Amino acid sequence: MKIRLEPIIFCPICGGSGKTEIKEATDPYGDIPGKWSYRRCQNCFSLWMDPMPIREDIPKLYPKDYYTHEQSDKIFLIKRKENFISQFWKKVWVSELSAMGYRKELSSLGLKSSYIGQLLTLFSPIKMAAQGECRYLAGHSKGKLLDVGCGNGAFLYFMKQLGWEVEGIEPDPTAAKICKDLGITVIESPIEECSLKQEFYDAITLSHVIEHLPNPKEVLVELFSSLKPQGTLVSISPNPIGKWAKIFGPSWRGLEPPRHLILISPIGFHYICEQLGIQTRYCELTTWRNEHLDIAQSKAIRIHGHCKSFKVSLFDKLHGYILSPWRLFFSPYSGEEVVAIFRKEGKNQGSALKYL
């Protein structure tokens, strides 16, 4: 299988110059042959692949058993099998989501806030991580929700239970079918080829999608134009300036060559916000959610060259559940994921494509 490549000399996010920082990284699943290099922007510190697969060959980068093909009943937030830690974490996120305006919906599902959960969410890194279960969307803003790259539909199924009117975009036919079997409307197409209604959605989310796109700025601009005034767009993606990205380098799980093309830093998202050209409120944070898994997989990649099998050690759990929240309290940009939240203000501001 031949994958055609093209050079990308300047940062796709801010246009800055970059230095090659990572060389000869390999697919952590071991399915796509080849070695891949990434440049680091000297201006916004984002990472991008250079050379990069051309757009027409990007579908070749995904194996048939890619993880979005899992049946959703294995990973539903409410129904999934739980160990002690996940049962304890449920107390935390249920308490926080109840405070965010979902108390009635959670109660109908048999989930109620607890004192221990309310106490733990007083600590801001835990509070922010708990809000990630609903991708930072408050209950009072319920309306039309679009999830880009919805995969098997697990998140949309959960948000439908929380009172949202949900819809997804998913180009992979296997994952889209799983989603449709849940009764969720899915646009089966790459996001770049979708024609979305203007000012139609109350919220749009992308979780671990933006790093797969060769043109993330243009996609965000078009999605933003599909938001209603006061609507919210949330992007969650690997943090290229986080602690574990720095420690593991080419073995970092969040790198995932060759599928992750551009990894936008928190500073890079600031540049995108400035370039939107319309009235926008913006905030960003990084989070420690699932760091224990990323640490374990990164170690496996460093040792074995892949993470098809890995073991989460006590050390990984200690970092992921206890040390990471405290580290993030003192070093806010060190988390494993970047969460960029854009909120649209005003009306009829027009397209921002001319600013890019």
Side-chain angles (χ1 to χ4, degrees):
M1 177 179 62
K2 183 175 178 59
I3 298 172
R4 293 168 292 176
L5 305 173
E6 60 181 345
I8 308 292
I9 304 301
F10 296 102
C11 176
I13 302 304
C14 72
S17 61
K19 293 183 179 180
T20 300
E21 181 173 296
I22 294 174
K23 297 180 179 180
E24 299 188 340
T26 57
D27 182 359
Y29 292 139
D31 293 295
I32 308 301
K35 295 184 178 180
W36 313 89
S37 298
Y38 288 81
R39 288 179 181 262
R40 171 81 68 182
C41 179
Q42 303 302 292
N43 188 37
C44 74
F45 307 108
S46 299
L47 278 176
W48 75 91
M49 186 181 290
D50 176 40
M52 186 182 295
I54 66 171
R55 184 177 301 181
E56 292 78 7
D57 284 1
I58 287 176
K60 298 179 182 178
L61 307 179
Y62 294 84
K64 293 182 179 180
D65 59 348
Y66 200 55
Y67 67 89
T68 57
H69 298 172
E70 297 175 358
Q71 290 292 334
S72 296
D73 58 2
K74 296 179 182 179
I75 56 174
F76 280 161
L77 198 57
I78 294 171
K79 296 182 180 179
R80 65 190 176 193
K81 186 177 180 181
E82 297 177 327
N83 55 30
F84 171 77
I85 293 176
S86 59
Q87 288 178 347
F88 188 79
W89 177 245
K90 179 183 281 189
K91 294 180 182 295
V92 175
W93 67 255
V94 168
S95 297
E96 181 58 25
L97 266 61
S98 295
M100 293 175 68
Y102 294 110
R103 185 181 303 275
K104 181 179 178 181
E105 291 81 4
L106 290 168
S107 180
S108 69
L109 295 169
L111 301 171
K112 295 184 178 180
S113 179
S114 63
Y115 290 119
I116 183 65
Q118 294 172 28
L119 179 63
L120 288 172
T121 54
L122 294 175
F123 185 44
S124 59
I126 292 180
K127 181 184 184 72
M128 292 297 101
Q131 290 182 358
E133 300 290 0
C134 65
R135 297 190 188 165
Y136 308 91
L137 300 175
H140 65 78
S141 61
K142 285 194 292 284
K144 291 182 173 65
L145 167 63
L146 175 69
D147 186 33
V148 179
C150 62
N152 56 27
F155 169 70
L156 288 178
Y157 182 88
F158 176 58
M159 295 302 283
K160 186 176 181 179
Q161 291 176 304
L162 294 186
W164 286 82
E165 184 180 342
V166 301
E167 182 179 347
I169 296 175
E170 176 54 54
D172 183 85
T174 303
K177 183 181 184 304
I178 297 171
C179 192
K180 290 176 181 178
D181 288 344
L182 298 173
I184 294 171
T185 300
V186 180
I187 302 171
E188 195 173 325
S189 170
I191 178 58
E192 295 92 339
E193 299 174 13
C194 292
S195 180
L196 301 176
K197 296 179 181 178
Q198 300 291 297
E199 298 191 350
F200 183 74
Y201 298 101
D202 298 281
I204 299 175
T205 59
L206 308 90
S207 180
H208 290 263
V209 170
I210 202 73
E211 65 271 20
H212 294 261
L213 304 177
N215 55 340
K217 289 197 299 185
E218 289 86 348
V219 168
L220 287 175
V221 166
E222 289 303 309
L223 291 175
F224 203 81
S225 68
S226 298
L227 281 177
K228 296 177 182 178
Q230 308 306 318
T232 301
L233 188 153
V234 180
S235 174
I236 304 171
S237 56
N239 180 16
I241 63 170
K243 175 178 179 177
W244 304 111
K246 294 177 180 178
I247 289 176
F248 286 105
S251 301
W252 175 47
R253 175 64 183 87
L255 193 65
E256 197 182 316
R259 288 168 292 278
H260 288 184
L261 306 176
I262 304 170
L263 294 109
I264 309 173
S265 72
I267 300 167
F269 276 110
H270 273 289
Y271 276 93
I272 292 175
C273 181
E274 292 175 358
Q275 294 168 341
L276 281 174
I278 47 185
Q279 293 180 352
T280 313
R281 280 188 294 152
Y282 166 78
C283 68
E284 104 284 324
L285 56 107
T286 70
T287 178
W288 54 274
R289 277 168 39 88
N290 297 322
E291 279 198 8
H292 62 296
L293 296 176
D294 283 358
I295 296 169
Q297 291 180 80
S298 298
K299 289 194 297 186
I301 295 168
R302 175 175 284 180
I303 296 170
H304 305 295
H306 64 82
C307 61
K308 286 190 172 182
S309 60
F310 62 94
K311 183 177 180 180
V312 181
S313 69
L314 180 61
F315 171 86
D316 305 331
K317 293 178 181 178
L318 176 65
H319 267 279
Y321 294 121
I322 299 176
L323 299 183
S324 292
W326 282 103
R327 185 197 76 239
L328 206 62
F329 182 77
F330 294 103
S331 181
Y333 278 0
S334 68
E336 188 69 0
E337 295 177 319
V338 182
V339 180
I341 304 173
F342 302 87
R343 187 158 290 113
K344 188 174 186 177
E345 296 182 331
K347 297 185 66 175
N348 301 320
Q349 297 294 319
S351 173
L353 285 174
K354 62 178 180 289
Y355 290 90
L356 299 179

